[in-house]
Amino acid sequence: DGGITQSPKYLFRKEGQNVTLSCEQNLNHDAMYWYRQDPGQGLRLIYYSQIVNDFQKGDIAEGYSVSREKKESFPLTVTSAQKNPTAFYLCASSPSEYHWDEQFFGPGTRLTVL
Amino acid sequence: ILNVEQSPQSLHVQEGDSTNFTCSFPSSNFYALHWYRWETAKSPEALFVMTLNGDEKKKGRISATLNTKEGYSYLYIKGSQPEDSATYLCAGTGGFKTIFGAGTRLFVKA
């Protein structure tokens, strides 16, 4: 079964802690994306990667970091520098590096900071 | 593309009603318009991608149109069914960026 998996589904973090959200795809897609959703807002782009070992900041990258060491994996670390990390996080991939390509989404991770 | 607006924010209809909602985007520097359906507890799924002015796409009872000159797209659902209940997202791509709207939340009552 091809698709995108994200883990965990729910995550609780204490203030001041870093936490890493997992995103894996077995679709052999080149590009991967991380989005954040807050109530009443559209998905906002945190980081994206069009190719292995390369990634670019999105609109709200401050307080986040990523890596793309393997084509199928694009983990997101929410650092203690992120002032308001409680949100729903979605990972996506697309077949090519072109931004107009259709995106395929994972089921998301809901992060709550206690 | 700086901002993508969707209206209405939510919509309640009866089973069998036809409905439509709007996605507005800046017409300058436009390349593509995407519609996604996002059911509760599931992942967003692509419905359509459109690039040309006047494009019309159809999938079953759902169709979409695109006007790039005036910067809008309509999504139509004919004969709504309870299983159509979902959030419908549109996303505009231009200038190497894709911007998502906040979505229209559709509730279809049996």
Side-chain angles (χ1 to χ4, degrees), chain A residues 35 37 40-43 48 59 88 90 99-103 105-107, chain B residues 31-32 34 36 38 43-44 46 49 89 93 96-102:
Chain A
Y35 294 95
Q37 190 197 33
Q41 295 193 40
L43 302 179
Y48 65 97
D59 299 318
F88 186 71
L90 269 175
H99 285 265
W100 57 81
D101 216 345
E102 171 187 342
Q103 294 188 24
F105 289 87
Chain B
Y31 190 84
H34 304 255
Y36 291 86
W38 193 358
S43 307
V49 56
L89 299 175
T93 298
F96 303 104
K97 288 185 75 169
T98 295
I99 304 293
F100 282 81

PDB file of all heavy atoms in Angstrom, chain A residues 35 37 40-43 48 59 88 90 99-103 105-107, chain B residues 31-32 34 36 38 43-44 46 49 89 93 96-102:
ATOM      1  N   TYR A  35       3.428  21.354   6.546  1.00  0.00           N
ATOM      2  CA  TYR A  35       2.475  22.443   6.746  1.00  0.00           C
ATOM      3  C   TYR A  35       2.013  22.456   8.191  1.00  0.00           C
ATOM      4  O   TYR A  35       1.990  21.432   8.866  1.00  0.00           O
ATOM      5  CB  TYR A  35       1.233  22.267   5.867  1.00  0.00           C
ATOM      6  CG  TYR A  35       1.478  22.369   4.393  1.00  0.00           C
ATOM      7  CD1 TYR A  35       1.689  21.236   3.619  1.00  0.00           C
ATOM      8  CD2 TYR A  35       1.467  23.612   3.757  1.00  0.00           C
ATOM      9  CE1 TYR A  35       1.899  21.334   2.252  1.00  0.00           C
ATOM     10  CE2 TYR A  35       1.668  23.713   2.392  1.00  0.00           C
ATOM     11  CZ  TYR A  35       1.888  22.569   1.650  1.00  0.00           C
ATOM     12  OH  TYR A  35       2.088  22.675   0.295  1.00  0.00           O
ATOM     13  N   GLN A  37      -1.410  23.796  10.455  1.00  0.00           N
ATOM     14  CA  GLN A  37      -2.773  24.318  10.397  1.00  0.00           C
ATOM     15  C   GLN A  37      -3.189  24.818  11.769  1.00  0.00           C
ATOM     16  O   GLN A  37      -3.071  24.093  12.769  1.00  0.00           O
ATOM     17  CB  GLN A  37      -3.776  23.266   9.915  1.00  0.00           C
ATOM     18  CG  GLN A  37      -5.125  23.896   9.635  1.00  0.00           C
ATOM     19  CD  GLN A  37      -6.262  22.908   9.558  1.00  0.00           C
ATOM     20  OE1 GLN A  37      -6.261  21.903  10.239  1.00  0.00           O
ATOM     21  NE2 GLN A  37      -7.229  23.195   8.715  1.00  0.00           N
ATOM     22  N   GLY A  40      -9.195  28.156  11.654  1.00  0.00           N
ATOM     23  CA  GLY A  40      -9.638  29.269  10.821  1.00  0.00           C
ATOM     24  C   GLY A  40      -8.629  29.743   9.800  1.00  0.00           C
ATOM     25  O   GLY A  40      -8.871  30.732   9.108  1.00  0.00           O
ATOM     26  N   GLN A  41      -7.505  29.068   9.711  1.00  0.00           N
ATOM     27  CA  GLN A  41      -6.482  29.494   8.751  1.00  0.00           C
ATOM     28  C   GLN A  41      -6.207  28.401   7.725  1.00  0.00           C
ATOM     29  O   GLN A  41      -6.456  27.227   7.971  1.00  0.00           O
ATOM     30  CB  GLN A  41      -5.175  29.815   9.484  1.00  0.00           C
ATOM     31  CG  GLN A  41      -5.288  31.004  10.431  1.00  0.00           C
ATOM     32  CD  GLN A  41      -3.912  31.485  10.879  1.00  0.00           C
ATOM     33  OE1 GLN A  41      -2.983  31.534  10.093  1.00  0.00           O
ATOM     34  NE2 GLN A  41      -3.801  31.848  12.140  1.00  0.00           N
ATOM     35  N   GLY A  42      -5.657  28.792   6.595  1.00  0.00           N
ATOM     36  CA  GLY A  42      -5.217  27.823   5.606  1.00  0.00           C
ATOM     37  C   GLY A  42      -3.947  27.132   6.051  1.00  0.00           C
ATOM     38  O   GLY A  42      -3.299  27.549   7.013  1.00  0.00           O
ATOM     39  N   LEU A  43      -3.582  26.096   5.341  1.00  0.00           N
ATOM     40  CA  LEU A  43      -2.314  25.415   5.609  1.00  0.00           C
ATOM     41  C   LEU A  43      -1.170  26.376   5.306  1.00  0.00           C
ATOM     42  O   LEU A  43      -1.139  26.992   4.238  1.00  0.00           O
ATOM     43  CB  LEU A  43      -2.182  24.175   4.726  1.00  0.00           C
ATOM     44  CG  LEU A  43      -3.284  23.126   4.840  1.00  0.00           C
ATOM     45  CD1 LEU A  43      -3.004  21.972   3.888  1.00  0.00           C
ATOM     46  CD2 LEU A  43      -3.412  22.632   6.260  1.00  0.00           C
ATOM     47  N   TYR A  48      10.072  22.910   2.804  1.00  0.00           N
ATOM     48  CA  TYR A  48       9.878  21.953   1.735  1.00  0.00           C
ATOM     49  C   TYR A  48      11.225  21.485   1.204  1.00  0.00           C
ATOM     50  O   TYR A  48      12.252  22.169   1.374  1.00  0.00           O
ATOM     51  CB  TYR A  48       9.000  22.504   0.606  1.00  0.00           C
ATOM     52  CG  TYR A  48       9.578  23.674  -0.161  1.00  0.00           C
ATOM     53  CD1 TYR A  48      10.234  23.482  -1.375  1.00  0.00           C
ATOM     54  CD2 TYR A  48       9.434  24.975   0.307  1.00  0.00           C
ATOM     55  CE1 TYR A  48      10.740  24.556  -2.090  1.00  0.00           C
ATOM     56  CE2 TYR A  48       9.931  26.043  -0.399  1.00  0.00           C
ATOM     57  CZ  TYR A  48      10.582  25.849  -1.591  1.00  0.00           C
ATOM     58  OH  TYR A  48      11.082  26.912  -2.294  1.00  0.00           O
ATOM     59  N   ASP A  59       7.043  29.774   4.601  1.00  0.00           N
ATOM     60  CA  ASP A  59       6.619  31.076   5.119  1.00  0.00           C
ATOM     61  C   ASP A  59       6.792  31.229   6.622  1.00  0.00           C
ATOM     62  O   ASP A  59       6.875  32.342   7.131  1.00  0.00           O
ATOM     63  CB  ASP A  59       5.146  31.306   4.763  1.00  0.00           C
ATOM     64  CG  ASP A  59       4.934  31.321   3.258  1.00  0.00           C
ATOM     65  OD1 ASP A  59       5.764  31.931   2.552  1.00  0.00           O
ATOM     66  OD2 ASP A  59       3.966  30.708   2.789  1.00  0.00           O
ATOM     67  N   PHE A  88      -1.831  21.627  14.407  1.00  0.00           N
ATOM     68  CA  PHE A  88      -1.934  20.383  13.645  1.00  0.00           C
ATOM     69  C   PHE A  88      -0.916  20.458  12.517  1.00  0.00           C
ATOM     70  O   PHE A  88      -0.876  21.449  11.782  1.00  0.00           O
ATOM     71  CB  PHE A  88      -3.361  20.248  13.102  1.00  0.00           C
ATOM     72  CG  PHE A  88      -3.635  18.938  12.423  1.00  0.00           C
ATOM     73  CD1 PHE A  88      -3.725  17.770  13.156  1.00  0.00           C
ATOM     74  CD2 PHE A  88      -3.812  18.884  11.057  1.00  0.00           C
ATOM     75  CE1 PHE A  88      -3.992  16.553  12.535  1.00  0.00           C
ATOM     76  CE2 PHE A  88      -4.080  17.682  10.416  1.00  0.00           C
ATOM     77  CZ  PHE A  88      -4.165  16.520  11.164  1.00  0.00           C
ATOM     78  N   LEU A  90       0.770  18.796   9.076  1.00  0.00           N
ATOM     79  CA  LEU A  90       0.551  17.908   7.944  1.00  0.00           C
ATOM     80  C   LEU A  90       1.816  17.801   7.100  1.00  0.00           C
ATOM     81  O   LEU A  90       2.436  18.821   6.787  1.00  0.00           O
ATOM     82  CB  LEU A  90      -0.564  18.444   7.046  1.00  0.00           C
ATOM     83  CG  LEU A  90      -1.996  18.000   7.304  1.00  0.00           C
ATOM     84  CD1 LEU A  90      -2.927  18.738   6.377  1.00  0.00           C
ATOM     85  CD2 LEU A  90      -2.151  16.507   7.141  1.00  0.00           C
ATOM     86  N   HIS A  99       6.130  23.087  -8.180  1.00  0.00           N
ATOM     87  CA  HIS A  99       5.156  23.495  -7.165  1.00  0.00           C
ATOM     88  C   HIS A  99       3.716  23.298  -7.626  1.00  0.00           C
ATOM     89  O   HIS A  99       2.822  23.217  -6.798  1.00  0.00           O
ATOM     90  CB  HIS A  99       5.372  24.963  -6.795  1.00  0.00           C
ATOM     91  CG  HIS A  99       6.562  25.180  -5.915  1.00  0.00           C
ATOM     92  ND1 HIS A  99       6.481  25.252  -4.544  1.00  0.00           N
ATOM     93  CD2 HIS A  99       7.866  25.309  -6.226  1.00  0.00           C
ATOM     94  CE1 HIS A  99       7.697  25.438  -4.057  1.00  0.00           C
ATOM     95  NE2 HIS A  99       8.552  25.481  -5.038  1.00  0.00           N
ATOM     96  N   TRP A 100       3.460  23.207  -8.931  1.00  0.00           N
ATOM     97  CA  TRP A 100       2.090  23.062  -9.385  1.00  0.00           C
ATOM     98  C   TRP A 100       1.603  21.618  -9.370  1.00  0.00           C
ATOM     99  O   TRP A 100       0.457  21.335  -9.677  1.00  0.00           O
ATOM    100  CB  TRP A 100       1.937  23.630 -10.794  1.00  0.00           C
ATOM    101  CG  TRP A 100       2.863  23.004 -11.793  1.00  0.00           C
ATOM    102  CD1 TRP A 100       2.713  21.821 -12.437  1.00  0.00           C
ATOM    103  CD2 TRP A 100       4.090  23.551 -12.261  1.00  0.00           C
ATOM    104  NE1 TRP A 100       3.766  21.602 -13.253  1.00  0.00           N
ATOM    105  CE2 TRP A 100       4.637  22.647 -13.187  1.00  0.00           C
ATOM    106  CE3 TRP A 100       4.792  24.736 -11.979  1.00  0.00           C
ATOM    107  CZ2 TRP A 100       5.844  22.884 -13.843  1.00  0.00           C
ATOM    108  CZ3 TRP A 100       5.982  24.979 -12.630  1.00  0.00           C
ATOM    109  CH2 TRP A 100       6.492  24.047 -13.549  1.00  0.00           C
ATOM    110  N   ASP A 101       2.484  20.702  -9.010  1.00  0.00           N
ATOM    111  CA  ASP A 101       2.125  19.285  -8.993  1.00  0.00           C
ATOM    112  C   ASP A 101       1.153  18.988  -7.853  1.00  0.00           C
ATOM    113  O   ASP A 101       1.196  19.623  -6.794  1.00  0.00           O
ATOM    114  CB  ASP A 101       3.399  18.466  -8.812  1.00  0.00           C
ATOM    115  CG  ASP A 101       3.372  17.171  -9.589  1.00  0.00           C
ATOM    116  OD1 ASP A 101       2.276  16.769 -10.026  1.00  0.00           O
ATOM    117  OD2 ASP A 101       4.434  16.553  -9.730  1.00  0.00           O
ATOM    118  N   GLU A 102       0.295  17.999  -8.065  1.00  0.00           N
ATOM    119  CA  GLU A 102      -0.639  17.553  -7.035  1.00  0.00           C
ATOM    120  C   GLU A 102       0.135  17.068  -5.824  1.00  0.00           C
ATOM    121  O   GLU A 102       1.172  16.412  -5.950  1.00  0.00           O
ATOM    122  CB  GLU A 102      -1.478  16.416  -7.612  1.00  0.00           C
ATOM    123  CG  GLU A 102      -2.358  15.690  -6.627  1.00  0.00           C
ATOM    124  CD  GLU A 102      -3.009  14.472  -7.261  1.00  0.00           C
ATOM    125  OE1 GLU A 102      -3.040  14.400  -8.502  1.00  0.00           O
ATOM    126  OE2 GLU A 102      -3.470  13.599  -6.515  1.00  0.00           O
ATOM    127  N   GLN A 103      -0.386  17.385  -4.630  1.00  0.00           N
ATOM    128  CA  GLN A 103       0.261  16.939  -3.402  1.00  0.00           C
ATOM    129  C   GLN A 103      -0.551  15.829  -2.761  1.00  0.00           C
ATOM    130  O   GLN A 103      -1.781  15.821  -2.799  1.00  0.00           O
ATOM    131  CB  GLN A 103       0.432  18.113  -2.440  1.00  0.00           C
ATOM    132  CG  GLN A 103       1.400  19.167  -2.979  1.00  0.00           C
ATOM    133  CD  GLN A 103       1.727  20.242  -1.980  1.00  0.00           C
ATOM    134  OE1 GLN A 103       1.619  20.055  -0.772  1.00  0.00           O
ATOM    135  NE2 GLN A 103       2.150  21.401  -2.477  1.00  0.00           N
ATOM    136  N   PHE A 105      -1.145  13.865   0.877  1.00  0.00           N
ATOM    137  CA  PHE A 105      -0.982  14.225   2.291  1.00  0.00           C
ATOM    138  C   PHE A 105      -0.985  13.018   3.208  1.00  0.00           C
ATOM    139  O   PHE A 105      -1.633  11.999   2.949  1.00  0.00           O
ATOM    140  CB  PHE A 105      -2.114  15.165   2.719  1.00  0.00           C
ATOM    141  CG  PHE A 105      -1.997  16.547   2.135  1.00  0.00           C
ATOM    142  CD1 PHE A 105      -2.533  16.836   0.899  1.00  0.00           C
ATOM    143  CD2 PHE A 105      -1.341  17.544   2.842  1.00  0.00           C
ATOM    144  CE1 PHE A 105      -2.420  18.116   0.350  1.00  0.00           C
ATOM    145  CE2 PHE A 105      -1.223  18.826   2.312  1.00  0.00           C
ATOM    146  CZ  PHE A 105      -1.767  19.097   1.074  1.00  0.00           C
ATOM    147  N   GLY A 106      -0.279  13.165   4.336  1.00  0.00           N
ATOM    148  CA  GLY A 106      -0.357  12.200   5.415  1.00  0.00           C
ATOM    149  C   GLY A 106      -1.543  12.506   6.313  1.00  0.00           C
ATOM    150  O   GLY A 106      -2.273  13.476   6.078  1.00  0.00           O
ATOM    151  N   PRO A 107      -1.741  11.705   7.364  1.00  0.00           N
ATOM    152  CA  PRO A 107      -2.895  11.882   8.241  1.00  0.00           C
ATOM    153  C   PRO A 107      -2.720  12.970   9.286  1.00  0.00           C
ATOM    154  O   PRO A 107      -3.678  13.352   9.940  1.00  0.00           O
ATOM    155  CB  PRO A 107      -3.042  10.518   8.906  1.00  0.00           C
ATOM    156  CG  PRO A 107      -1.663   9.948   8.892  1.00  0.00           C
ATOM    157  CD  PRO A 107      -1.008  10.457   7.639  1.00  0.00           C
TER     158      PRO A 107
ATOM    159  N   TYR B  31      -0.285  30.308 -11.833  1.00  0.00           N
ATOM    160  CA  TYR B  31       0.059  29.170 -12.670  1.00  0.00           C
ATOM    161  C   TYR B  31      -0.961  28.046 -12.604  1.00  0.00           C
ATOM    162  O   TYR B  31      -1.336  27.478 -13.612  1.00  0.00           O
ATOM    163  CB  TYR B  31       1.457  28.621 -12.343  1.00  0.00           C
ATOM    164  CG  TYR B  31       1.859  27.622 -13.379  1.00  0.00           C
ATOM    165  CD1 TYR B  31       2.433  28.038 -14.577  1.00  0.00           C
ATOM    166  CD2 TYR B  31       1.610  26.259 -13.202  1.00  0.00           C
ATOM    167  CE1 TYR B  31       2.752  27.132 -15.568  1.00  0.00           C
ATOM    168  CE2 TYR B  31       1.923  25.349 -14.196  1.00  0.00           C
ATOM    169  CZ  TYR B  31       2.496  25.792 -15.365  1.00  0.00           C
ATOM    170  OH  TYR B  31       2.800  24.885 -16.348  1.00  0.00           O
ATOM    171  N   ALA B  32      -1.406  27.671 -11.382  1.00  0.00           N
ATOM    172  CA  ALA B  32      -2.323  26.532 -11.262  1.00  0.00           C
ATOM    173  C   ALA B  32      -3.242  26.718 -10.064  1.00  0.00           C
ATOM    174  O   ALA B  32      -2.897  27.410  -9.096  1.00  0.00           O
ATOM    175  CB  ALA B  32      -1.545  25.223 -11.118  1.00  0.00           C
ATOM    176  N   HIS B  34      -5.650  24.346  -7.425  1.00  0.00           N
ATOM    177  CA  HIS B  34      -5.945  22.991  -6.975  1.00  0.00           C
ATOM    178  C   HIS B  34      -7.161  23.002  -6.059  1.00  0.00           C
ATOM    179  O   HIS B  34      -7.345  23.936  -5.265  1.00  0.00           O
ATOM    180  CB  HIS B  34      -4.780  22.434  -6.143  1.00  0.00           C
ATOM    181  CG  HIS B  34      -3.454  22.441  -6.825  1.00  0.00           C
ATOM    182  ND1 HIS B  34      -2.871  21.294  -7.320  1.00  0.00           N
ATOM    183  CD2 HIS B  34      -2.592  23.450  -7.093  1.00  0.00           C
ATOM    184  CE1 HIS B  34      -1.699  21.617  -7.859  1.00  0.00           C
ATOM    185  NE2 HIS B  34      -1.501  22.906  -7.733  1.00  0.00           N
ATOM    186  N   TYR B  36      -8.901  20.393  -3.149  1.00  0.00           N
ATOM    187  CA  TYR B  36      -8.732  19.189  -2.353  1.00  0.00           C
ATOM    188  C   TYR B  36      -9.974  18.987  -1.503  1.00  0.00           C
ATOM    189  O   TYR B  36     -10.595  19.955  -1.060  1.00  0.00           O
ATOM    190  CB  TYR B  36      -7.517  19.320  -1.403  1.00  0.00           C
ATOM    191  CG  TYR B  36      -6.170  19.335  -2.076  1.00  0.00           C
ATOM    192  CD1 TYR B  36      -5.628  20.524  -2.560  1.00  0.00           C
ATOM    193  CD2 TYR B  36      -5.420  18.175  -2.231  1.00  0.00           C
ATOM    194  CE1 TYR B  36      -4.385  20.550  -3.169  1.00  0.00           C
ATOM    195  CE2 TYR B  36      -4.171  18.190  -2.846  1.00  0.00           C
ATOM    196  CZ  TYR B  36      -3.673  19.380  -3.307  1.00  0.00           C
ATOM    197  OH  TYR B  36      -2.430  19.399  -3.917  1.00  0.00           O
ATOM    198  N   TRP B  38     -11.148  17.272   2.146  1.00  0.00           N
ATOM    199  CA  TRP B  38     -10.566  16.832   3.400  1.00  0.00           C
ATOM    200  C   TRP B  38     -11.684  16.395   4.323  1.00  0.00           C
ATOM    201  O   TRP B  38     -12.363  17.199   4.957  1.00  0.00           O
ATOM    202  CB  TRP B  38      -9.766  17.965   4.025  1.00  0.00           C
ATOM    203  CG  TRP B  38      -8.879  17.558   5.155  1.00  0.00           C
ATOM    204  CD1 TRP B  38      -8.737  16.319   5.707  1.00  0.00           C
ATOM    205  CD2 TRP B  38      -8.015  18.412   5.898  1.00  0.00           C
ATOM    206  NE1 TRP B  38      -7.826  16.339   6.713  1.00  0.00           N
ATOM    207  CE2 TRP B  38      -7.355  17.615   6.857  1.00  0.00           C
ATOM    208  CE3 TRP B  38      -7.705  19.773   5.834  1.00  0.00           C
ATOM    209  CZ2 TRP B  38      -6.418  18.130   7.749  1.00  0.00           C
ATOM    210  CZ3 TRP B  38      -6.775  20.290   6.712  1.00  0.00           C
ATOM    211  CH2 TRP B  38      -6.143  19.474   7.668  1.00  0.00           C
ATOM    212  N   SER B  43      -6.900  12.161   5.410  1.00  0.00           N
ATOM    213  CA  SER B  43      -5.945  13.085   4.795  1.00  0.00           C
ATOM    214  C   SER B  43      -6.620  13.836   3.664  1.00  0.00           C
ATOM    215  O   SER B  43      -7.512  13.295   3.003  1.00  0.00           O
ATOM    216  CB  SER B  43      -4.765  12.305   4.222  1.00  0.00           C
ATOM    217  OG  SER B  43      -4.194  11.453   5.181  1.00  0.00           O
ATOM    218  N   PRO B  44      -6.199  15.079   3.403  1.00  0.00           N
ATOM    219  CA  PRO B  44      -6.721  15.778   2.218  1.00  0.00           C
ATOM    220  C   PRO B  44      -6.413  14.975   0.959  1.00  0.00           C
ATOM    221  O   PRO B  44      -5.328  14.413   0.819  1.00  0.00           O
ATOM    222  CB  PRO B  44      -5.945  17.101   2.224  1.00  0.00           C
ATOM    223  CG  PRO B  44      -5.481  17.282   3.632  1.00  0.00           C
ATOM    224  CD  PRO B  44      -5.236  15.912   4.159  1.00  0.00           C
ATOM    225  N   ALA B  46      -6.637  15.104  -3.419  1.00  0.00           N
ATOM    226  CA  ALA B  46      -6.783  15.995  -4.560  1.00  0.00           C
ATOM    227  C   ALA B  46      -8.047  15.685  -5.354  1.00  0.00           C
ATOM    228  O   ALA B  46      -8.361  14.518  -5.595  1.00  0.00           O
ATOM    229  CB  ALA B  46      -5.556  15.872  -5.466  1.00  0.00           C
ATOM    230  N   VAL B  49      -6.808  19.731 -10.552  1.00  0.00           N
ATOM    231  CA  VAL B  49      -5.821  20.783 -10.773  1.00  0.00           C
ATOM    232  C   VAL B  49      -6.146  21.407 -12.129  1.00  0.00           C
ATOM    233  O   VAL B  49      -6.413  20.698 -13.107  1.00  0.00           O
ATOM    234  CB  VAL B  49      -4.367  20.264 -10.722  1.00  0.00           C
ATOM    235  CG1 VAL B  49      -4.137  19.141 -11.708  1.00  0.00           C
ATOM    236  CG2 VAL B  49      -3.385  21.393 -10.966  1.00  0.00           C
ATOM    237  N   LEU B  89     -10.693  22.440   0.245  1.00  0.00           N
ATOM    238  CA  LEU B  89      -9.588  23.396   0.220  1.00  0.00           C
ATOM    239  C   LEU B  89      -9.257  23.757  -1.218  1.00  0.00           C
ATOM    240  O   LEU B  89      -9.254  22.890  -2.087  1.00  0.00           O
ATOM    241  CB  LEU B  89      -8.331  22.782   0.830  1.00  0.00           C
ATOM    242  CG  LEU B  89      -8.355  22.322   2.281  1.00  0.00           C
ATOM    243  CD1 LEU B  89      -7.032  21.641   2.634  1.00  0.00           C
ATOM    244  CD2 LEU B  89      -8.587  23.501   3.201  1.00  0.00           C
ATOM    245  N   THR B  93      -1.173  28.227  -7.082  1.00  0.00           N
ATOM    246  CA  THR B  93       0.270  28.167  -7.293  1.00  0.00           C
ATOM    247  C   THR B  93       0.686  29.263  -8.260  1.00  0.00           C
ATOM    248  O   THR B  93       0.091  29.441  -9.309  1.00  0.00           O
ATOM    249  CB  THR B  93       0.682  26.808  -7.875  1.00  0.00           C
ATOM    250  OG1 THR B  93       0.358  25.779  -6.956  1.00  0.00           O
ATOM    251  CG2 THR B  93       2.183  26.765  -8.138  1.00  0.00           C
ATOM    252  N   PHE B  96       6.439  30.226  -7.868  1.00  0.00           N
ATOM    253  CA  PHE B  96       7.132  29.175  -7.119  1.00  0.00           C
ATOM    254  C   PHE B  96       6.584  28.990  -5.713  1.00  0.00           C
ATOM    255  O   PHE B  96       7.304  28.540  -4.816  1.00  0.00           O
ATOM    256  CB  PHE B  96       8.642  29.436  -7.070  1.00  0.00           C
ATOM    257  CG  PHE B  96       9.258  29.558  -8.428  1.00  0.00           C
ATOM    258  CD1 PHE B  96       9.608  30.804  -8.935  1.00  0.00           C
ATOM    259  CD2 PHE B  96       9.447  28.444  -9.218  1.00  0.00           C
ATOM    260  CE1 PHE B  96      10.140  30.922 -10.209  1.00  0.00           C
ATOM    261  CE2 PHE B  96       9.995  28.553 -10.489  1.00  0.00           C
ATOM    262  CZ  PHE B  96      10.338  29.801 -10.982  1.00  0.00           C
ATOM    263  N   LYS B  97       5.336  29.360  -5.494  1.00  0.00           N
ATOM    264  CA  LYS B  97       4.717  29.154  -4.182  1.00  0.00           C
ATOM    265  C   LYS B  97       3.319  28.614  -4.371  1.00  0.00           C
ATOM    266  O   LYS B  97       2.657  28.910  -5.367  1.00  0.00           O
ATOM    267  CB  LYS B  97       4.610  30.481  -3.411  1.00  0.00           C
ATOM    268  CG  LYS B  97       5.915  31.024  -2.888  1.00  0.00           C
ATOM    269  CD  LYS B  97       5.680  32.254  -2.043  1.00  0.00           C
ATOM    270  CE  LYS B  97       5.110  31.878  -0.687  1.00  0.00           C
ATOM    271  NZ  LYS B  97       5.124  33.029   0.247  1.00  0.00           N
ATOM    272  N   THR B  98       2.880  27.809  -3.419  1.00  0.00           N
ATOM    273  CA  THR B  98       1.495  27.357  -3.370  1.00  0.00           C
ATOM    274  C   THR B  98       0.893  27.852  -2.072  1.00  0.00           C
ATOM    275  O   THR B  98       1.460  27.613  -1.005  1.00  0.00           O
ATOM    276  CB  THR B  98       1.402  25.826  -3.452  1.00  0.00           C
ATOM    277  OG1 THR B  98       1.879  25.400  -4.728  1.00  0.00           O
ATOM    278  CG2 THR B  98      -0.038  25.357  -3.279  1.00  0.00           C
ATOM    279  N   ILE B  99      -0.228  28.558  -2.170  1.00  0.00           N
ATOM    280  CA  ILE B  99      -0.896  29.117  -1.001  1.00  0.00           C
ATOM    281  C   ILE B  99      -2.265  28.474  -0.871  1.00  0.00           C
ATOM    282  O   ILE B  99      -3.026  28.419  -1.848  1.00  0.00           O
ATOM    283  CB  ILE B  99      -1.070  30.645  -1.122  1.00  0.00           C
ATOM    284  CG1 ILE B  99       0.274  31.334  -1.358  1.00  0.00           C
ATOM    285  CG2 ILE B  99      -1.757  31.205   0.119  1.00  0.00           C
ATOM    286  CD1 ILE B  99       1.229  31.265  -0.202  1.00  0.00           C
ATOM    287  N   PHE B 100      -2.575  27.986   0.333  1.00  0.00           N
ATOM    288  CA  PHE B 100      -3.861  27.349   0.584  1.00  0.00           C
ATOM    289  C   PHE B 100      -4.839  28.348   1.178  1.00  0.00           C
ATOM    290  O   PHE B 100      -4.481  29.176   2.025  1.00  0.00           O
ATOM    291  CB  PHE B 100      -3.699  26.185   1.565  1.00  0.00           C
ATOM    292  CG  PHE B 100      -3.138  24.942   0.945  1.00  0.00           C
ATOM    293  CD1 PHE B 100      -1.773  24.794   0.732  1.00  0.00           C
ATOM    294  CD2 PHE B 100      -3.984  23.909   0.570  1.00  0.00           C
ATOM    295  CE1 PHE B 100      -1.260  23.647   0.154  1.00  0.00           C
ATOM    296  CE2 PHE B 100      -3.476  22.755  -0.004  1.00  0.00           C
ATOM    297  CZ  PHE B 100      -2.122  22.625  -0.213  1.00  0.00           C
ATOM    298  N   GLY B 101      -6.109  28.222   0.777  1.00  0.00           N
ATOM    299  CA  GLY B 101      -7.174  28.949   1.453  1.00  0.00           C
ATOM    300  C   GLY B 101      -7.542  28.236   2.748  1.00  0.00           C
ATOM    301  O   GLY B 101      -7.078  27.125   3.013  1.00  0.00           O
ATOM    302  N   ALA B 102      -8.397  28.880   3.546  1.00  0.00           N
ATOM    303  CA  ALA B 102      -8.783  28.326   4.841  1.00  0.00           C
ATOM    304  C   ALA B 102      -9.829  27.224   4.709  1.00  0.00           C
ATOM    305  O   ALA B 102     -10.096  26.511   5.679  1.00  0.00           O
ATOM    306  CB  ALA B 102      -9.295  29.419   5.759  1.00  0.00           C
TER     307      ALA B 102
END
